[in-house]
Amino acid sequence: MAEDTRAANGLHWSKTRNLTYIILALWALFGIIIPWFAGALNSMTFLGFPLGYYFCVQGSLIAFVVLIWVQNWRQDAIDEEFGHDE
């Protein structure tokens, strides 16, 4: 029984770790990589702001909120799958 519990806990941790890596990679994409290339859009404006700046500010906030929601949703599913949904 202890061997099964240890294996289940290992699989739970593996899925949690992989989810965390994916979310961190997406966080870096929306927080660092996309803003790096926003300069090309700055020749146009939207509401008086350079378009690249506007997209990065508004888009990254939306992306971060969605990422938090997705991670929470997926982690709840992983926890429920392994009986850690207390």
Side-chain angles (χ1 to χ4, degrees):
M1 185 67 171
E3 188 74 27
D4 292 338
T5 303
R6 214 171 301 140
N9 286 341
L11 189 55
H12 177 267
W13 171 244
S14 176
K15 285 188 173 192
T16 298
R17 185 185 59 233
N18 291 340
L19 174 64
T20 302
Y21 288 156
I22 290 168
I23 295 296
L24 283 173
L26 290 171
W27 199 279
L29 174 74
F30 289 113
I32 299 169
I33 297 171
I34 291 176
W36 187 281
F37 296 105
L41 295 173
N42 284 337
S43 62
M44 297 175 275
T45 62
F46 181 75
L47 298 175
F49 294 101
L51 191 59
Y53 170 79
Y54 185 80
F55 277 174
C56 286
V57 170
Q58 297 301 320
S60 64
L61 287 176
I62 292 168
F64 294 152
V65 169
V66 169
L67 283 173
I68 291 168
W69 184 84
V70 167
Q71 182 177 16
N72 212 5
W73 170 64
R74 288 300 307 142
Q75 187 61 51
D76 284 347
I78 292 170
D79 289 346
E80 188 175 310
E81 179 182 350
F82 291 96
H84 297 288
D85 56 345
E86 299 161 357

